[in-house]
Amino acid sequence: MTIIEQADFPSTLGMDTEPVAGQATPMLLGVATANPPTRYSQRELVELLAIDDPKIRGIFLNGGIESRYLTLPSVDKEGNFRSETQGELLAKHRRYGVATGAAAIRKCLSRIGKDLDEVDYLVAVTTTGFLTPGFSALLINELGLSPGTARLDVVGMGCNAGLNGLTAAAAWSTANPGKLAVLVCTESCSAAYVYDGTMRTAVVNSLFGDGAAAMAVSTDGAHIRPAADPPPRLLGMRSYMIIHAMDAMRYDWDDEAGKFSFYLDKEVPYEVGAHVETVVDQLLGEAGLRRKEITHWIVHSGGKKVIDAVKINLGLTNHDLRHTVSVMRDYGNLSSGSFLFSYQRLLAEGRVARGDYGVFMTMGPGSQIETALFQY
């Protein structure tokens, strides 16, 4: 077992709740999400995809998902979905990734009362396609951001990558006090689907949905909207790589299909469950906290079995994971942006209080578990 150190912010870990003099602490100013126009229930998808195998139908209908946003291919003369080439899938990834990413950024900035020309740094996260230039450049061009906007692309890190991107945005904000950073996670998971009737692709096709989420980060209180409640501060982050399970989640080239194909091992929930205590307890231990002192758990909607494994091994309740489960139900697994969809629901609920602690948790290829601690 190996602990991989992440950037440690000049934080209040284990101390009082006020920033250390002379050190800047990143604040989570706001969040927003966006999805493509087409939404389907799981039962609609089973019929549209003409899935007759009872095992595969069961995977679609019993996974805790009721509906998802997807961009399905066009149909042929016989009414069957046409098999898209890898080039067509990449074009879909670019088109909808830019559209939903830009929409999420616009909404995020609007909520905190900021304009596009005030963005100083853009971190763009994606896993479901590979583009050069990446989404950071495409979104700067699409949104008309300043040519002087600093940028970073986080690519190919999977469902845990939203927190990897947040690490970069927070570290940049700490090094550039007063400036505004934006993280955007934009995934067109339907651009990574292979339809071959196998159980391997059925698991993936039953699970993932399309969508984007954006979060604004800064150390400067001047970016807080007048009369708004103080935003939470990001206190620290901790990573853990399950090295022996490195191949449990991967994106392979499928020679027969002529396109990339995502693979999820059936052992993923057990590997996550077996190691989640290690990283969470280290994150909290450094802050002098225990699990019972965490009010808000924002866990990635990785799948029904993954959520159950986290719940059991951390001793969490259904209430603790209500947003994780409801995002899974309404959107499926949105890959890197899933945890931000849950965080948005927490804020909309209006139950956070000054002093509350919260934990972000994501998991994905590596196999990796990412965590972060925040406080209101």
Side-chain angles (χ1 to χ4, degrees), residues 293-314:
E293 295 175 88
I294 302 303
T295 309
H296 309 293
W297 293 89
I298 305 299
V299 177
H300 168 53
S301 303
K304 186 174 183 296
K305 291 182 179 179
V306 172
I307 296 170
D308 288 344
V310 170
K311 175 185 172 184
I312 292 170
N313 285 278
L314 291 182

PDB file of all heavy atoms in Angstrom, residues 293-314:
ATOM      1  N   GLU A 293     -17.326  13.710  13.150  1.00  0.00           N
ATOM      2  CA  GLU A 293     -17.329  15.173  13.122  1.00  0.00           C
ATOM      3  C   GLU A 293     -17.569  15.726  11.718  1.00  0.00           C
ATOM      4  O   GLU A 293     -17.608  16.933  11.528  1.00  0.00           O
ATOM      5  CB  GLU A 293     -16.002  15.698  13.677  1.00  0.00           C
ATOM      6  CG  GLU A 293     -15.797  15.363  15.143  1.00  0.00           C
ATOM      7  CD  GLU A 293     -14.429  15.771  15.657  1.00  0.00           C
ATOM      8  OE1 GLU A 293     -14.300  16.931  16.099  1.00  0.00           O
ATOM      9  OE2 GLU A 293     -13.490  14.935  15.593  1.00  0.00           O
ATOM     10  N   ILE A 294     -17.699  14.847  10.736  1.00  0.00           N
ATOM     11  CA  ILE A 294     -17.963  15.280   9.359  1.00  0.00           C
ATOM     12  C   ILE A 294     -19.473  15.336   9.143  1.00  0.00           C
ATOM     13  O   ILE A 294     -20.179  14.336   9.277  1.00  0.00           O
ATOM     14  CB  ILE A 294     -17.322  14.311   8.345  1.00  0.00           C
ATOM     15  CG1 ILE A 294     -15.819  14.222   8.599  1.00  0.00           C
ATOM     16  CG2 ILE A 294     -17.600  14.788   6.913  1.00  0.00           C
ATOM     17  CD1 ILE A 294     -15.080  15.550   8.554  1.00  0.00           C
ATOM     18  N   THR A 295     -19.958  16.504   8.796  1.00  0.00           N
ATOM     19  CA  THR A 295     -21.399  16.702   8.605  1.00  0.00           C
ATOM     20  C   THR A 295     -21.833  16.332   7.193  1.00  0.00           C
ATOM     21  O   THR A 295     -22.960  15.864   6.991  1.00  0.00           O
ATOM     22  CB  THR A 295     -21.775  18.165   8.886  1.00  0.00           C
ATOM     23  OG1 THR A 295     -21.250  18.546  10.162  1.00  0.00           O
ATOM     24  CG2 THR A 295     -23.289  18.352   8.900  1.00  0.00           C
ATOM     25  N   HIS A 296     -20.960  16.587   6.207  1.00  0.00           N
ATOM     26  CA  HIS A 296     -21.364  16.423   4.806  1.00  0.00           C
ATOM     27  C   HIS A 296     -20.385  15.483   4.073  1.00  0.00           C
ATOM     28  O   HIS A 296     -19.179  15.743   4.057  1.00  0.00           O
ATOM     29  CB  HIS A 296     -21.400  17.778   4.090  1.00  0.00           C
ATOM     30  CG  HIS A 296     -22.189  18.812   4.842  1.00  0.00           C
ATOM     31  ND1 HIS A 296     -23.549  18.723   5.028  1.00  0.00           N
ATOM     32  CD2 HIS A 296     -21.785  19.940   5.493  1.00  0.00           C
ATOM     33  CE1 HIS A 296     -23.970  19.752   5.731  1.00  0.00           C
ATOM     34  NE2 HIS A 296     -22.922  20.503   6.040  1.00  0.00           N
ATOM     35  N   TRP A 297     -20.936  14.439   3.495  1.00  0.00           N
ATOM     36  CA  TRP A 297     -20.132  13.489   2.716  1.00  0.00           C
ATOM     37  C   TRP A 297     -20.556  13.604   1.252  1.00  0.00           C
ATOM     38  O   TRP A 297     -21.682  13.261   0.901  1.00  0.00           O
ATOM     39  CB  TRP A 297     -20.339  12.067   3.224  1.00  0.00           C
ATOM     40  CG  TRP A 297     -19.792  11.841   4.596  1.00  0.00           C
ATOM     41  CD1 TRP A 297     -20.436  12.026   5.789  1.00  0.00           C
ATOM     42  CD2 TRP A 297     -18.464  11.402   4.923  1.00  0.00           C
ATOM     43  NE1 TRP A 297     -19.590  11.729   6.839  1.00  0.00           N
ATOM     44  CE2 TRP A 297     -18.381  11.341   6.341  1.00  0.00           C
ATOM     45  CE3 TRP A 297     -17.345  11.041   4.175  1.00  0.00           C
ATOM     46  CZ2 TRP A 297     -17.213  10.934   7.002  1.00  0.00           C
ATOM     47  CZ3 TRP A 297     -16.186  10.650   4.835  1.00  0.00           C
ATOM     48  CH2 TRP A 297     -16.130  10.600   6.231  1.00  0.00           C
ATOM     49  N   ILE A 298     -19.643  14.084   0.422  1.00  0.00           N
ATOM     50  CA  ILE A 298     -19.913  14.237  -1.017  1.00  0.00           C
ATOM     51  C   ILE A 298     -19.085  13.188  -1.739  1.00  0.00           C
ATOM     52  O   ILE A 298     -17.901  13.387  -2.039  1.00  0.00           O
ATOM     53  CB  ILE A 298     -19.546  15.660  -1.498  1.00  0.00           C
ATOM     54  CG1 ILE A 298     -20.281  16.706  -0.658  1.00  0.00           C
ATOM     55  CG2 ILE A 298     -19.862  15.800  -2.978  1.00  0.00           C
ATOM     56  CD1 ILE A 298     -21.802  16.621  -0.736  1.00  0.00           C
ATOM     57  N   VAL A 299     -19.709  12.038  -1.989  1.00  0.00           N
ATOM     58  CA  VAL A 299     -19.021  10.868  -2.535  1.00  0.00           C
ATOM     59  C   VAL A 299     -19.414  10.676  -4.000  1.00  0.00           C
ATOM     60  O   VAL A 299     -20.584  10.828  -4.368  1.00  0.00           O
ATOM     61  CB  VAL A 299     -19.377   9.609  -1.717  1.00  0.00           C
ATOM     62  CG1 VAL A 299     -18.723   8.358  -2.307  1.00  0.00           C
ATOM     63  CG2 VAL A 299     -18.971   9.798  -0.255  1.00  0.00           C
ATOM     64  N   HIS A 300     -18.437  10.324  -4.802  1.00  0.00           N
ATOM     65  CA  HIS A 300     -18.663  10.062  -6.230  1.00  0.00           C
ATOM     66  C   HIS A 300     -19.719   8.985  -6.429  1.00  0.00           C
ATOM     67  O   HIS A 300     -19.688   7.935  -5.770  1.00  0.00           O
ATOM     68  CB  HIS A 300     -17.339   9.632  -6.866  1.00  0.00           C
ATOM     69  CG  HIS A 300     -17.474   9.074  -8.246  1.00  0.00           C
ATOM     70  ND1 HIS A 300     -18.121   9.750  -9.256  1.00  0.00           N
ATOM     71  CD2 HIS A 300     -17.037   7.900  -8.792  1.00  0.00           C
ATOM     72  CE1 HIS A 300     -18.083   9.019 -10.358  1.00  0.00           C
ATOM     73  NE2 HIS A 300     -17.433   7.896 -10.106  1.00  0.00           N
ATOM     74  N   SER A 301     -20.634   9.229  -7.370  1.00  0.00           N
ATOM     75  CA  SER A 301     -21.690   8.255  -7.687  1.00  0.00           C
ATOM     76  C   SER A 301     -21.139   7.202  -8.642  1.00  0.00           C
ATOM     77  O   SER A 301     -21.507   7.129  -9.814  1.00  0.00           O
ATOM     78  CB  SER A 301     -22.887   8.984  -8.326  1.00  0.00           C
ATOM     79  OG  SER A 301     -23.365   9.999  -7.476  1.00  0.00           O
ATOM     80  N   GLY A 302     -20.252   6.374  -8.125  1.00  0.00           N
ATOM     81  CA  GLY A 302     -19.521   5.446  -8.981  1.00  0.00           C
ATOM     82  C   GLY A 302     -20.290   4.218  -9.401  1.00  0.00           C
ATOM     83  O   GLY A 302     -19.876   3.516 -10.335  1.00  0.00           O
ATOM     84  N   GLY A 303     -21.376   3.924  -8.744  1.00  0.00           N
ATOM     85  CA  GLY A 303     -22.139   2.713  -9.024  1.00  0.00           C
ATOM     86  C   GLY A 303     -22.733   2.205  -7.725  1.00  0.00           C
ATOM     87  O   GLY A 303     -22.213   2.492  -6.640  1.00  0.00           O
ATOM     88  N   LYS A 304     -23.818   1.434  -7.831  1.00  0.00           N
ATOM     89  CA  LYS A 304     -24.528   0.998  -6.628  1.00  0.00           C
ATOM     90  C   LYS A 304     -23.620   0.218  -5.676  1.00  0.00           C
ATOM     91  O   LYS A 304     -23.608   0.476  -4.468  1.00  0.00           O
ATOM     92  CB  LYS A 304     -25.730   0.143  -7.038  1.00  0.00           C
ATOM     93  CG  LYS A 304     -26.652  -0.259  -5.914  1.00  0.00           C
ATOM     94  CD  LYS A 304     -27.867  -0.982  -6.465  1.00  0.00           C
ATOM     95  CE  LYS A 304     -28.842  -1.326  -5.346  1.00  0.00           C
ATOM     96  NZ  LYS A 304     -28.257  -2.278  -4.383  1.00  0.00           N
ATOM     97  N   LYS A 305     -22.838  -0.716  -6.201  1.00  0.00           N
ATOM     98  CA  LYS A 305     -21.988  -1.534  -5.337  1.00  0.00           C
ATOM     99  C   LYS A 305     -20.840  -0.718  -4.737  1.00  0.00           C
ATOM    100  O   LYS A 305     -20.422  -0.964  -3.600  1.00  0.00           O
ATOM    101  CB  LYS A 305     -21.443  -2.729  -6.123  1.00  0.00           C
ATOM    102  CG  LYS A 305     -22.515  -3.752  -6.485  1.00  0.00           C
ATOM    103  CD  LYS A 305     -21.915  -4.946  -7.218  1.00  0.00           C
ATOM    104  CE  LYS A 305     -22.990  -5.978  -7.546  1.00  0.00           C
ATOM    105  NZ  LYS A 305     -22.439  -7.139  -8.288  1.00  0.00           N
ATOM    106  N   VAL A 306     -20.319   0.232  -5.500  1.00  0.00           N
ATOM    107  CA  VAL A 306     -19.250   1.088  -4.981  1.00  0.00           C
ATOM    108  C   VAL A 306     -19.777   1.953  -3.845  1.00  0.00           C
ATOM    109  O   VAL A 306     -19.127   2.107  -2.791  1.00  0.00           O
ATOM    110  CB  VAL A 306     -18.667   1.967  -6.106  1.00  0.00           C
ATOM    111  CG1 VAL A 306     -17.695   2.998  -5.538  1.00  0.00           C
ATOM    112  CG2 VAL A 306     -17.962   1.106  -7.147  1.00  0.00           C
ATOM    113  N   ILE A 307     -20.959   2.521  -4.036  1.00  0.00           N
ATOM    114  CA  ILE A 307     -21.556   3.358  -2.987  1.00  0.00           C
ATOM    115  C   ILE A 307     -21.806   2.531  -1.732  1.00  0.00           C
ATOM    116  O   ILE A 307     -21.523   2.970  -0.611  1.00  0.00           O
ATOM    117  CB  ILE A 307     -22.866   3.995  -3.510  1.00  0.00           C
ATOM    118  CG1 ILE A 307     -22.565   4.938  -4.677  1.00  0.00           C
ATOM    119  CG2 ILE A 307     -23.569   4.757  -2.386  1.00  0.00           C
ATOM    120  CD1 ILE A 307     -23.813   5.414  -5.405  1.00  0.00           C
ATOM    121  N   ASP A 308     -22.328   1.326  -1.907  1.00  0.00           N
ATOM    122  CA  ASP A 308     -22.572   0.457  -0.754  1.00  0.00           C
ATOM    123  C   ASP A 308     -21.272   0.120  -0.034  1.00  0.00           C
ATOM    124  O   ASP A 308     -21.222   0.055   1.205  1.00  0.00           O
ATOM    125  CB  ASP A 308     -23.266  -0.830  -1.210  1.00  0.00           C
ATOM    126  CG  ASP A 308     -24.714  -0.615  -1.609  1.00  0.00           C
ATOM    127  OD1 ASP A 308     -25.278   0.447  -1.253  1.00  0.00           O
ATOM    128  OD2 ASP A 308     -25.285  -1.490  -2.295  1.00  0.00           O
ATOM    129  N   ALA A 309     -20.203  -0.123  -0.793  1.00  0.00           N
ATOM    130  CA  ALA A 309     -18.910  -0.462  -0.180  1.00  0.00           C
ATOM    131  C   ALA A 309     -18.371   0.694   0.655  1.00  0.00           C
ATOM    132  O   ALA A 309     -17.847   0.505   1.758  1.00  0.00           O
ATOM    133  CB  ALA A 309     -17.904  -0.838  -1.280  1.00  0.00           C
ATOM    134  N   VAL A 310     -18.506   1.909   0.139  1.00  0.00           N
ATOM    135  CA  VAL A 310     -18.063   3.090   0.894  1.00  0.00           C
ATOM    136  C   VAL A 310     -18.918   3.262   2.149  1.00  0.00           C
ATOM    137  O   VAL A 310     -18.400   3.527   3.250  1.00  0.00           O
ATOM    138  CB  VAL A 310     -18.148   4.343  -0.001  1.00  0.00           C
ATOM    139  CG1 VAL A 310     -17.927   5.611   0.823  1.00  0.00           C
ATOM    140  CG2 VAL A 310     -17.126   4.252  -1.138  1.00  0.00           C
ATOM    141  N   LYS A 311     -20.204   3.099   1.981  1.00  0.00           N
ATOM    142  CA  LYS A 311     -21.128   3.259   3.118  1.00  0.00           C
ATOM    143  C   LYS A 311     -20.796   2.286   4.247  1.00  0.00           C
ATOM    144  O   LYS A 311     -20.699   2.678   5.418  1.00  0.00           O
ATOM    145  CB  LYS A 311     -22.565   3.029   2.618  1.00  0.00           C
ATOM    146  CG  LYS A 311     -23.616   3.036   3.705  1.00  0.00           C
ATOM    147  CD  LYS A 311     -24.976   2.673   3.119  1.00  0.00           C
ATOM    148  CE  LYS A 311     -26.003   2.474   4.212  1.00  0.00           C
ATOM    149  NZ  LYS A 311     -27.315   2.037   3.655  1.00  0.00           N
ATOM    150  N   ILE A 312     -20.614   1.023   3.905  1.00  0.00           N
ATOM    151  CA  ILE A 312     -20.371  -0.006   4.927  1.00  0.00           C
ATOM    152  C   ILE A 312     -19.030   0.200   5.605  1.00  0.00           C
ATOM    153  O   ILE A 312     -18.911   0.169   6.834  1.00  0.00           O
ATOM    154  CB  ILE A 312     -20.450  -1.406   4.278  1.00  0.00           C
ATOM    155  CG1 ILE A 312     -21.887  -1.692   3.852  1.00  0.00           C
ATOM    156  CG2 ILE A 312     -19.944  -2.472   5.249  1.00  0.00           C
ATOM    157  CD1 ILE A 312     -22.032  -2.927   2.986  1.00  0.00           C
ATOM    158  N   ASN A 313     -17.988   0.443   4.819  1.00  0.00           N
ATOM    159  CA  ASN A 313     -16.644   0.514   5.388  1.00  0.00           C
ATOM    160  C   ASN A 313     -16.377   1.793   6.165  1.00  0.00           C
ATOM    161  O   ASN A 313     -15.507   1.819   7.027  1.00  0.00           O
ATOM    162  CB  ASN A 313     -15.603   0.335   4.284  1.00  0.00           C
ATOM    163  CG  ASN A 313     -15.491  -1.109   3.836  1.00  0.00           C
ATOM    164  OD1 ASN A 313     -14.816  -1.904   4.466  1.00  0.00           O
ATOM    165  ND2 ASN A 313     -16.195  -1.453   2.751  1.00  0.00           N
ATOM    166  N   LEU A 314     -17.097   2.861   5.862  1.00  0.00           N
ATOM    167  CA  LEU A 314     -16.929   4.103   6.624  1.00  0.00           C
ATOM    168  C   LEU A 314     -18.008   4.276   7.688  1.00  0.00           C
ATOM    169  O   LEU A 314     -17.972   5.248   8.451  1.00  0.00           O
ATOM    170  CB  LEU A 314     -16.934   5.317   5.684  1.00  0.00           C
ATOM    171  CG  LEU A 314     -15.734   5.456   4.747  1.00  0.00           C
ATOM    172  CD1 LEU A 314     -15.876   6.728   3.914  1.00  0.00           C
ATOM    173  CD2 LEU A 314     -14.415   5.495   5.534  1.00  0.00           C
TER     174      LEU A 314
END
